[in-house]
Amino acid sequence: MLGRSLVPDQQPQRHSTGITSNADAPDYADQPNGGEPTAAPSASGSTGPTEAGQDGSGRDAGGDKLFGAHATTGSSRLALTFDDGPDPQYTPQVLALLREFDVRATFCVVGENAQNHPDLIQAIVNDGHTLCNHSWQHDVGLGARSADAIRSDLLRTNEAIRAAVPDAPIVWYRQPGGAWTYPVVSVASQLGMTPLHWSVDPSDWDLPGAGKITATVVTQAEPGSVVLLHDAGGNRQGTVDALRRILPDLTARFELEALPTDPT
Ligand SMILES: [Zn+2]
């Protein structure tokens, strides 16, 4: 399973989420296969055309291409993550379902969507969910740009989020398409954000239908899973419908958490 090989090298306690000083530390030495951590591949070479503008397609982003990004929660808890929003049609439906099942999750929001829908950012935070920076406009090639360009993109996104919720903790960053590079991991860490990947991916962005999304999540979920879902970026009714089936199952088997915003 994607990213599983990262786990043994993680520290036994929950990961600190407020890392600000590890850009030059050997934190990324836990890459599998003894790869070359400083060799940043071109983002275009690590993502296929079919996933342009979306996340998922773990086959292109797994293993040695994670650059140390977290793919699990580091505990027995399972985390649901919702990418690419907020979206005025689907995010409120997701929030209502999470509320119904008393579940907190993490929303990986796109900066320009946050700017356009500050009310939804506020609703996410008010419901107790946590936030993750997902870049300004979902540029899957962001990791191939200069460090300054990456930094500007991530900061602009955080500013848009904080325009809605001034004190919002933003301690996670997820690279669009999972197209990690060493520079994007490094800059995110310098800005106090821990790179976040995933371990369960039903490819809901590819519209497989609610049944398939549900089946993939409930069969692949295990303690520590980070589940990738999308509440924006296209027709997400399948995801919403799947969530109504997924939540009763997962809440019966696991403790679900919003990824933490405080170092522990
Ligand atoms: Zn995305």
Side-chain angles (χ1 to χ4, degrees), residues 56-82:
S57 189
R59 74 191 189 287
D60 292 327
D64 60 352
K65 293 182 178 176
L66 291 183
F67 292 89
H70 292 203
T72 64
T73 65
S75 75
S76 62
R77 289 177 286 274
L78 180 148
L80 296 178
T81 62
F82 295 92

Side-chain angles (χ1 to χ4, degrees), residues 6-24:
L6 294 175
V7 173
D9 289 324
Q10 292 180 344
Q11 297 171 0
Q13 68 270 26
R14 292 179 74 184
H15 269 276
S16 164
T17 58
I19 296 168
T20 57
S21 60
N22 64 350
D24 299 313

Side-chain angles (χ1 to χ4, degrees), residues 94-184:
V94 169
L95 290 174
L97 280 169
L98 293 173
R99 201 177 304 126
E100 180 179 336
F101 286 88
D102 195 25
V103 166
R104 252 64 62 192
T106 299
F107 287 76
C108 297
V109 301
V110 171
E112 62 181 6
N113 292 340
Q115 183 178 63
N116 291 335
H117 305 289
D119 55 318
L120 293 176
I121 297 293
Q122 291 161 2
I124 289 167
V125 173
N126 286 342
D127 277 3
H129 307 297
T130 58
L131 296 168
C132 169
N133 181 322
H134 197 35
S135 86
W136 178 253
Q137 55 181 186
H138 209 277
D139 179 3
V140 296
L142 181 63
R145 298 172 66 191
S146 72
D148 283 347
I150 295 168
R151 186 175 295 104
S152 295
D153 186 293
L154 271 52
L155 285 172
R156 185 183 185 191
T157 300
N158 282 353
E159 287 168 8
I161 293 169
R162 293 201 170 106
V165 181
D167 57 351
I170 310 165
V171 304
W172 300 97
Y173 173 74
R174 177 173 279 164
Q175 168 60 25
W180 298 102
T181 63
Y182 183 78
V184 80

Side-chain angles (χ1 to χ4, degrees), residues 53-55 83-84 134 138 176-177 230:
Q54 299 291 349
D55 310 300
D83 282 21
D84 300 0
H134 197 35
H138 209 277
H230 293 79

